[in-house]
Amino acid sequence: MSEVQESHGGTKLYWIFCVILCAITGLEWAIFEYREAWGVSKVMLVSSLSICSLVKFVMVVGWYMDLRYDPKILKNTFVLSLLIICGIVAGLLALML
């Protein structure tokens, strides 16, 4: 049990990740809620929300799901799915222009 706790960095690191994820979620909410007041275009809205979601996805998958300890095939599965999603979002953004 102590090996797992040491490899994860303990409770303090979980709280740091929690604060970062909450801050990114708050930023996403603010961008969506105040998009008209801030004059955010549709392309900028989708782009900024996609980037925030991508950062959260990488943080959660990379840290909480322990992918760094899993076989390479699992890492490649998540990377491939992430690249497919990025391609779909890029295509949708291109259609919006």
Side-chain angles (χ1 to χ4, degrees), residues 14-35:
Y14 275 95
W15 279 107
I16 291 170
F17 269 81
C18 177
V19 169
I20 292 170
L21 291 172
C22 287
I24 294 171
T25 302
L27 177 64
E28 287 175 326
W29 176 83
I31 290 170
F32 186 78
E33 188 67 27
Y34 298 112
R35 65 187 182 276

Side-chain angles (χ1 to χ4, degrees), residues 17 20-21 24-25 27-28 45-63 78-87 89-90:
F17 269 81
I20 292 170
L21 291 172
I24 294 171
T25 302
L27 177 64
E28 287 175 326
L45 175 70
V46 172
S47 299
S48 59
L49 292 178
S50 297
I51 290 169
C52 289
S53 295
L54 177 67
V55 170
K56 289 194 313 184
F57 176 81
V58 168
M59 286 181 68
V60 169
V61 168
W63 186 258
F78 279 105
V79 170
L80 180 62
S81 63
L82 182 62
L83 290 175
I84 291 170
I85 291 168
C86 288
V89 169

